[in-house]
Amino acid sequence: MLIAGLVTLSYSGQAAIYEVAPEHRNPVGSENVLTGEGFGSSSSIIESLQQSQSDDKKTDYLNALDLLKNNKLAEARTQITGLIKKYPKNSEFYNLQALLELLSKNIPDAQQNYLKAIEMNPKNILAHLGLSKLFLDTGELEKSKESANRALAINDKVVNGYLLLADVALKQNSLKDVEKILILGLEKVKGTIGTELELVKNLAKFYAIQKQPEKALALAEDITKKNPENKEALSILAGAQIINTKKNEAEQTLRQIITLNKQEVDHRLLLARLLNEQPGKEQEILKLLDEAYAIAPKNPQVLVFKTAYL
């Protein structure tokens, strides 16, 4: 599925659609807002939930989310039970309960809590998305599609809805539909840079995996032309340039990212790896590694690279 094919391609500090591998043959990429577990993963749901609450309930809400993020499920259960008693008419707290049940592997209870949230508020987008992900994981693809479409009917700019539909299409071996869904999502969210980049990143990864690197490059060049100083757009562009063997252009793009963000570590390492293929670049590589170490001395990638190079 696209979750496994795209999002779980782990972000190890590289350009957004590229993970350094011998001979640069592994055009994979960064975790998106949905983290490394997939388009509708528990972690991604947590991130979405964090943005959904009004200020008067936010402290209690975020405290419960922190417990879930730290896998303190017993404490989270006590707190969420209290929150539901405290806010009995707030459907969002049933989303929390559903997520808790998902993390506890209680799938039927998770489903019932999402359904309860939707019963209380039919426009609870996160409940529809959570239910879609649940059905995706249990192999109920048509139900997953229905729930994702319900979320999009409420708000057609919800990125996760398109990503879940793309996952369903990929599980159904409908690669043309995957592309169509991601392109449709991109058209719907144009003008909202964060969500637009999320879909561009995943579509570029899809093209890379489908061995259509030229499409990934065209997509990356277009988004970067419109957002010439956006670090994530530039990161996508650098990855697309690399998988199209445009290493000189990728080097320039990586230097631009570093110039825009003096505390950048990940792209310094990627630039060092590219330079490592060229003779006579030893001093520049050492400078990049020293800079990365000064910024993040405990970063394991920095330590491994620096130790290996020295």
Side-chain angles (χ1 to χ4, degrees):
M1 58 184 173
L2 202 55
I3 290 173
L6 300 184
V7 180
T8 57
L9 300 172
S10 63
Y11 182 62
S12 57
Q14 315 306 340
I17 63 167
Y18 179 80
E19 180 179 1
V20 172
E23 302 175 357
H24 292 164
R25 292 174 302 190
N26 192 10
V28 299
S30 66
E31 296 173 352
N32 62 9
V33 64
L34 308 168
T35 73
E37 297 171 17
F39 286 138
S41 69
S42 297
S43 298
S44 71
I45 295 169
I46 288 175
E47 297 304 320
S48 298
L49 289 172
Q50 284 181 314
Q51 302 171 23
S52 68
Q53 288 301 297
S54 57
D55 289 340
D56 59 338
K57 301 181 181 73
K58 202 162 189 176
T59 300
D60 287 342
Y61 195 89
L62 293 180
N63 284 342
L65 277 174
D66 282 340
L67 292 173
L68 291 173
K69 289 175 73 173
N70 291 303
N71 205 37
K72 297 180 179 179
L73 302 187
E75 293 177 56
R77 187 173 296 279
T78 299
Q79 186 153 346
I80 292 169
T81 299
L83 288 174
I84 289 173
K85 289 180 180 177
K86 187 175 181 180
Y87 305 107
K89 296 182 180 180
N90 190 314
S91 67
E92 298 294 334
F93 289 102
Y94 285 92
N95 293 343
L96 279 179
Q97 184 71 37
L99 180 55
L100 170 64
E101 301 302 349
L102 282 175
L103 294 172
S104 303
K105 311 299 183 185
N106 298 325
I107 305 304
D109 288 346
Q111 181 175 338
Q112 288 305 311
N113 277 283
Y114 280 134
L115 291 172
K116 176 67 174 177
I118 292 167
E119 180 185 348
M120 294 174 69
N121 176 12
K123 293 187 177 182
N124 186 323
I125 291 177
L126 292 176
H128 288 294
L129 292 173
L131 204 54
S132 175
K133 177 59 169 64
L134 185 152
F135 288 136
L136 180 74
D137 288 345
T138 58
E140 298 173 88
L141 300 185
E142 289 305 315
K143 288 184 178 180
S144 178
K145 188 188 296 187
E146 289 171 8
S147 292
N149 279 323
R150 288 191 185 103
L152 290 170
I154 298 166
N155 183 350
D156 65 1
K157 297 184 185 298
V158 176
V159 171
N160 284 15
Y162 297 105
L163 299 180
L164 284 160
L165 288 175
D167 267 335
V168 170
L170 195 60
K171 277 198 167 187
Q172 294 173 330
N173 294 315
S174 182
L175 298 181
K176 287 185 179 179
D177 283 343
V178 173
E179 182 179 17
K180 287 179 183 177
I181 289 163
L182 294 176
I183 289 174
L184 174 62
L186 187 55
E187 291 172 353
K188 292 290 186 180
V189 305
K190 272 188 176 177
T192 308
I193 183 60
T195 49
E196 192 173 349
L197 281 168
E198 193 60 48
L199 283 162
V200 166
K201 183 166 56 181
N202 281 284
L203 186 54
K205 291 178 197 173
F206 176 73
Y207 287 143
I209 290 166
Q210 295 303 311
K211 298 183 179 179
Q212 298 175 306
E214 70 287 348
K215 285 189 175 183
L217 182 60
L219 193 66
E221 287 176 341
D222 180 65
I223 192 71
T224 307
K225 185 177 180 180
K226 292 183 291 186
N227 303 276
E229 295 190 349
N230 184 288
K231 187 172 80 74
E232 187 170 359
L234 289 167
S235 181
I236 295 169
L237 177 61
Q241 289 166 333
I242 290 170
I243 63 173
N244 280 274
T245 65
K246 295 180 178 292
K247 294 179 184 178
N248 289 336
E249 291 90 338
E251 183 179 325
Q252 293 173 16
T253 303
L254 290 168
R255 292 185 191 282
Q256 186 179 353
I257 294 170
I258 293 167
T259 299
L260 288 170
N261 184 355
K262 302 298 184 184
Q263 297 300 304
E264 172 61 49
V265 171
D266 297 336
H267 295 89
R268 275 186 168 84
L269 296 181
L270 181 51
L271 178 56
R273 288 185 169 104
L274 287 181
L275 294 175
N276 195 39
E277 299 179 354
Q278 305 173 31
K281 298 288 186 177
E282 292 80 8
Q283 291 305 311
E284 186 173 0
I285 292 169
L286 285 172
K287 181 174 181 291
L288 286 166
L289 294 178
D290 286 342
E291 289 172 352
Y293 182 77
I295 296 166
K298 294 183 180 180
N299 185 312
Q301 291 183 65
V302 174
L303 295 172
V304 169
F305 197 154
K306 189 173 174 67
T307 301
Y309 190 77
L310 295 175

